[in-house]
């Protein structure tokens, strides 16, 4: 298996780990909420591009700590960087069907 395929499989593993990071206000994980825009893994490093539901979210630091804890639990990852972005802006349209059902959102 080449390095690119291994990095893609590792990124899939990271997404799985991030499903254990729960937004305490909404009670659902950050992946299904649509907060994770991209996961890139290369050379034992992971870059997570994400947003928050609102700018100035008081849970930002707590979520970042939980994200790093989950990602660094993967033995192939030595470093985790979080890139917080505001574009594109998060909307409920980014949520998975599961999240919308869980939260009673109908569109």
């Amino acid at each position: 298996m080449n390095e690119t395929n291994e990095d893609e499989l590792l990124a899939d593993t990271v997404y799985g780990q991030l499903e254990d990071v729960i937004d305490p206000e909404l009670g659902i994980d950050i992946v299904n909420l649509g907060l994770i825009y991209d996961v890139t893994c290369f050379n034992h490093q992971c870059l997570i591009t994400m947003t928050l539901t609102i700018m100035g979210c008081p849970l930002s630091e707590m979520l970042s700590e939980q994200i790093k804890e989950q990602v660094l639990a993967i033995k192939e990852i030595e470093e985790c960087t979080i890139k917080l972005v505001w574009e594109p802006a998060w909307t409920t349209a980014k949520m998975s069907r599961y999240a919308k059902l869980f939260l009673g959102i109908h569109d």
Side-chain angles (χ1 to χ4, degrees), residues 10-81:
L10 193 52
D12 288 342
T13 301
V14 169
Y15 273 105
Q17 286 290 102
L18 294 177
E19 288 180 346
D20 289 337
V21 179
I22 307 297
D23 181 307
E25 290 182 326
L26 299 174
I28 195 149
D29 68 88
I30 60 175
V31 174
N32 278 293
L33 280 175
L35 299 179
I36 304 300
Y37 287 172
D38 187 51
V39 172
T40 304
C41 297
F42 181 75
N43 198 24
H44 306 286
Q45 298 179 31
C46 181
L47 171 63
I48 297 170
T49 304
M50 66 172 291
T51 194
L52 297 170
T53 55
I54 58 169
M55 200 176 287
C57 175
L59 301 173
S60 175
E61 191 170 314
M62 183 205 68
L63 288 174
S64 292
E65 289 173 13
Q66 288 183 14
I67 288 167
K68 288 184 178 185
E69 182 179 310
Q70 288 296 320
V71 174
L72 293 174
I74 301 169
K75 67 177 180 156
E76 295 89 353
I77 304 226
E78 297 171 1
E79 185 179 327
C80 176
T81 303

Side-chain angles (χ1 to χ4, degrees), residues 81-96:
T81 303
I82 299 170
K83 179 181 176 185
L84 192 60
V85 298
W86 301 108
E87 294 292 329
W90 180 87
T91 68
T92 56
K94 297 193 179 305
M95 295 169 61
S96 71

